[in-house]
Amino acid sequence: MLHLRSIAFRSPIRHFSSTIPALRMKVVPVLVSADNYAYLLIDEPSMKAAVVDVLDVEKVQAVAEKEGVSIVAGITTHHHQDHSGGNKACLFPIVSTYPSIPVYGGFDVPSKTDLVEDGGEFTVGDNIHVQCLATPCHTKDSICYYVTDTSNKSQAGGVFTGDTLFLGGCGRFFEGTAEQMHTSLSKLATLPDDTTVYNGHEYTAGNVAFAKTVEPNNPGIDRLIKLAQENKVTTGLSTIGDEKEWNVFMRLDQSAIKYAATGAEEPSAVMTKLRELKNNFRG
């Protein structure tokens, strides 16, 4: 087995306070470029991990080595190079040496061994259950991964959203439509409210500046402003419940967004205008 370790990011998942810390699912963000996140998804009881959206292989290896975990899977949210670019360099050689190690991804993801589709399921380590959620729009092959710890029912789940859902924002519609993005974000909104959001980029400061112009009287957005001001790394500090309160792209039914900001009413039309406004925002 490839044995690797990790960097100085602390998992945003809180640990129980006790003399001996409880073993559980752990997520470690790895900033692999100016704003790009990869992640280690760690099953602490088995010390096995999956790497999500590997780009910079050396940085991910350093993190895994520090954490003392064995990489047993690769998970990719979509085919864009800044999310899948490390697959061939890091994971495909591993697959060649260790044929039991899968690389999960949608139909356009390079170097995958296991094609995943909406509703698909697999396990990382001994205890982490992964559910695949197809969320096409940013790319046609976008998959979000909802993860839970089967050995620790009290721990909230997490969702790796790639470039579909950001803290306070959403991805550009490169290969899809506004209707598809609305459908995809609505699907993510059905996850438990305490689900932690792990997104693909550190875009929070820009997203919240835009959101304030769209829905200026929303107290949730003021909370997100404070969070962005106090944390250089914001991934893992938001939940699905939070996003429903402060993410304007998940609040298309609000009057301030429909009428004042976009002048539209039907959800797809509101989403179209909102994305256009964000694309042209320079605040």
Side-chain angles (χ1 to χ4, degrees):
M1 276 291 186
L2 182 69
H3 216 71
L4 305 172
R5 293 193 164 210
S6 105
I7 72 179
F9 285 104
R10 182 179 300 172
S11 167
I13 296 178
R14 297 182 180 89
H15 291 263
F16 293 117
S17 56
S18 61
T19 304
I20 301 175
L23 297 176
R24 60 193 304 172
M25 179 177 72
K26 179 179 179 182
V27 177
V28 182
V30 186
L31 194 60
V32 289
S33 72
D35 58 43
N36 257 88
Y37 287 113
Y39 296 91
L40 283 179
L41 171 61
I42 300 171
D43 176 39
E44 286 192 322
S46 66
M47 294 307 289
K48 297 175 182 177
V51 57
V52 180
D53 283 355
V54 63
L55 174 61
D56 187 313
V57 175
E58 291 184 0
K59 288 183 179 180
V60 171
Q61 286 176 332
V63 178
E65 185 173 330
K66 184 175 181 181
E67 295 292 333
V69 298
S70 297
I71 301 294
V72 297
I75 299 172
T76 308
T77 59
H78 62 292
H79 69 265
H80 283 166
Q81 193 273 341
D82 58 341
H83 295 263
S84 66
N87 282 7
K88 185 175 181 180
C90 179
L91 296 173
F92 194 74
I94 295 172
V95 173
S96 301
T97 307
Y98 306 103
S100 62
I101 296 179
V103 180
Y104 297 97
F107 56 85
D108 267 347
V109 168
S111 302
K112 65 181 176 294
T113 63
D114 286 52
L115 172 67
V116 297
E117 297 177 330
D118 190 47
E121 299 177 319
F122 58 91
T123 301
V124 171
D126 298 337
N127 304 292
I128 299 177
H129 177 260
V130 184
Q131 180 182 356
C132 305
L133 306 172
T135 52
C137 180
H138 180 70
T139 64
K140 293 178 181 178
D141 67 342
S142 290
I143 301 286
C144 293
Y145 298 88
Y146 175 56
V147 297
T148 53
D149 186 344
T150 60
S151 71
N152 190 341
K153 303 294 186 182
S154 65
Q155 182 177 0
V159 61
F160 296 97
T161 59
D163 288 359
T164 295
L165 172 66
F166 299 118
L167 269 67
C170 72
R172 290 176 182 261
F173 308 165
F174 286 132
E175 298 181 10
T177 65
E179 183 177 3
Q180 286 179 313
M181 181 58 78
H182 175 54
T183 298
S184 293
L185 294 181
S186 296
K187 179 184 290 188
L188 293 176
T190 67
L191 295 174
D193 279 351
D194 62 358
T195 302
T196 303
V197 175
Y198 301 103
N199 53 208
H201 294 270
E202 185 56 53
Y203 289 164
T204 305
N207 287 340
V208 72
F210 170 70
K212 189 65 175 176
T213 68
V214 172
E215 204 177 12
N217 298 318
N218 180 353
I221 292 173
D222 292 332
R223 289 198 300 115
L224 183 57
I225 290 172
K226 187 171 186 293
L227 185 151
Q229 290 173 339
E230 295 178 351
N231 298 275
K232 183 177 180 180
V233 174
T234 62
T235 187
L237 300 182
S238 172
T239 65
I240 289 294
D242 290 328
E243 294 304 316
K244 289 191 285 190
E245 290 184 14
W246 65 40
N247 191 322
V248 294
F249 293 94
M250 298 182 78
R251 296 171 55 80
L252 305 187
D253 60 342
Q254 298 299 304
S255 294
I257 297 174
K258 288 199 296 185
Y259 305 119
T262 68
E265 185 167 2
E266 192 271 326
S268 294
V270 177
M271 181 68 83
T272 297
K273 183 61 178 178
L274 204 56
R275 186 66 250 183
E276 290 174 356
L277 291 170
K278 178 64 169 68
N279 292 348
N280 295 314
F281 180 69
R282 297 295 180 264

